Amino acid sequence: MALFSSLTPVFIAIICVLIGVILKKTSGEKEKHDIKSKLTSRPWVDEDLKDGTDHPLEEEDVDEEWQGLEENVAHVPFTAERYSEAEMIKRSQAFYELLNKRRSVRFLSDEPVPREVIDNVIRTAGTSPSGAHTEPWTFVVVQDPYLKRKIREIVEEEEEINYKKRMGDRWVSDLKRLRTNWIKEYLDTAPYLILIFKQVYGRLPNGKKKTHYYNEISVSIACGILLAALQNAGLYTVTSTPLNCGPQLRVLLQRPANEKLLLLLPVGYPKKDATVPALTRKPLEDIMVVM
C-alpha cells in the first residue's frame, strides 16, 4: 500500500504529460484545419501572383553594398507647366470626360492598329513612378496569331475551372449580370495582347538579385497610366486577370521566373455591334472625403 502511495504522484505526472501531448496534438490539428479552411475560403487567390515579400532574397544573393543604383544621383532643375485656374479647371474637366468614356469592351475588332501607337502607350506607362526607381515592369506585346491562339487556349482552360470550381457561387452569380464567362473570343480577335508582368526582383550585372521595392503597387500604377493612355489614343480593352494562368503563360512567352503575370489586356477597336453593360459610376460624394 505504501509503495502504491509513493508511486501515485508518478502516475499522476505521467497522466498529465499524456493529456498535455494529446491536447497539443489536437490543437495542432485544429490549427492546420483552420489554416486550410482560410485558404480554401478564398480559392480565387492566385498563388503565382504573390508580392515580392513572398520571395525573400537569399542572403548569399544579396549585394548589400550595391543595388545597381548610383550612390549620388545628380539633381537637375525642374521646369513645370503652370496654368491659370480657369485653364486648370478646363483641362481637368476635359480629361475627366475623356476617361469617363472608358469602358471594359469584350467585343473587339480584328482591324489593324498602328504599331507606333502601341509603342507610345507603353512608353507612357513606363513614365510611372516606382519604388527607388527600380521600374519593375515588363510589357509583353503579342501580335502573332499562333501565340494569341495558345494564350486563349490556356486562359479558357483555366477560366472554365475557375468558374466551375474555384470562384464560388457568389462570384459566378455576380458575373452573370455582366454576361461574361470563360469564353474569351477577344484573345483571338484583338490585334494586340499586352501582358504586364511585375518583376518581384531584378538581376544585377554581377548576377546577384536586386531588390524591387513595392513592385506590385508600382506596376499597378503603371497599368492605370496605360489604361488612360489607351483611352486617349482611342483604343479599348478589358482588364483581364487570368487566374492560375501565370506560370503557363510565363513559359509560353519565355519570361524568367522573377516575373509574375499581373494583367492581360486585349487591345483594339470595338466591333461595330459591340455592347457594354448599362452601368453607372459612384458619384463624387461617395468616393471622396474632404477633411
Side-chain angles (χ1 to χ4, degrees):
M1 192 71 177
L3 178 63
F4 179 77
S5 299
S6 64
L7 290 176
T8 298
V10 177
F11 287 133
I12 292 173
I14 292 172
I15 291 169
C16 289
V17 170
L18 289 173
I19 291 172
V21 170
I22 293 169
L23 288 175
K24 186 176 180 181
K25 184 178 180 182
T26 304
S27 175
E29 288 176 353
K30 183 178 183 299
E31 187 177 345
K32 287 179 182 178
H33 176 74
D34 290 343
I35 292 171
K36 187 176 181 181
S37 296
K38 287 178 182 177
L39 290 174
T40 54
S41 67
R42 295 184 62 204
W44 55 86
V45 174
D46 193 336
E47 292 299 317
D48 186 56
L49 196 53
K50 290 182 178 179
D51 198 22
T53 52
D54 295 294
H55 300 268
L57 302 184
E58 296 171 9
E59 200 168 314
E60 63 271 20
D61 284 338
V62 177
D63 192 333
E64 295 291 347
E65 300 300 321
W66 183 60
Q67 278 283 300
L69 303 173
E70 295 178 33
E71 188 173 344
N72 292 303
V73 178
H75 281 220
V76 296
F78 176 69
T79 304
E81 294 269 8
R82 184 68 183 263
Y83 305 107
S84 67
E85 288 189 6
E87 181 66 14
M88 289 170 66
I89 293 171
K90 179 182 176 182
R91 291 172 67 92
S92 62
Q93 178 66 27
F95 192 67
Y96 160 70
E97 290 174 358
L98 171 67
L99 269 292
N100 194 39
K101 295 175 183 176
R102 188 208 57 77
R103 295 300 306 272
S104 294
V105 178
R106 293 175 171 82
F107 304 99
L108 295 173
S109 165
D110 60 359
E111 184 181 351
V113 170
R115 170 61 188 280
E116 188 175 356
V117 176
I118 302 300
D119 292 350
N120 286 336
V121 296
I122 291 179
R123 281 195 187 100
T124 304
T127 68
S128 176
S130 60
H133 193 59
T134 50
E135 302 177 289
W137 41 67
T138 302
F139 300 89
V140 178
V141 178
V142 177
Q143 56 185 351
D144 178 76
Y146 170 78
L147 282 178
K148 288 195 292 182
R149 164 58 62 173
K150 295 299 293 183
I151 289 171
R152 179 178 177 181
E153 289 174 359
I154 290 170
V155 170
E156 287 187 342
E157 181 180 354
E158 289 296 332
E159 280 285 81
E160 184 173 5
I161 299 172
N162 293 335
Y163 272 81
K164 291 182 176 180
K165 295 182 180 180
R166 297 184 182 124
M167 287 162 50
D169 293 339
R170 181 182 297 176
W171 192 0
V172 173
S173 177
D174 287 344
L175 289 174
K176 275 183 180 178
R177 65 193 184 97
L178 302 178
R179 300 180 190 175
T180 179
N181 54 36
W182 60 85
I183 305 300
K184 311 294 183 185
E185 182 184 347
Y186 50 73
L187 295 177
D188 261 342
T189 56
Y192 293 101
L193 303 181
I194 302 177
L195 294 92
I196 302 98
F197 289 83
K198 68 171 190 176
Q199 302 168 6
V200 294
Y201 58 86
R203 285 288 181 187
L204 297 169
N206 62 6
K208 291 190 176 182
K209 293 181 180 179
K210 174 185 174 185
T211 305
H212 278 175
Y213 311 97
Y214 299 107
N215 57 75
E216 182 151 354
I217 188 63
S218 298
V219 181
S220 297
I221 294 170
C223 289
I225 293 176
L226 177 57
L227 291 174
L230 289 169
Q231 181 70 17
N232 181 63
L235 295 175
Y236 290 82
T237 185
V238 54
T239 51
S240 172
T241 50
L243 180 65
N244 293 303
C245 298
Q248 295 180 74
L249 294 177
R250 191 168 67 241
V251 171
L252 175 68
L253 300 174
Q254 301 179 18
R255 302 312 308 157
N258 67 312
E259 294 187 1
K260 308 296 180 184
L261 180 62
L262 187 69
L263 203 63
L264 192 166
L265 301 177
V267 174
Y269 303 110
K271 286 184 175 180
K272 291 181 180 179
D273 58 351
T275 61
V276 294
L279 303 176
T280 58
R281 293 187 168 97
K282 292 180 179 180
L284 182 63
E285 57 268 23
D286 284 357
I287 64 173
M288 183 176 75
V289 176
V290 180
M291 306 297 286

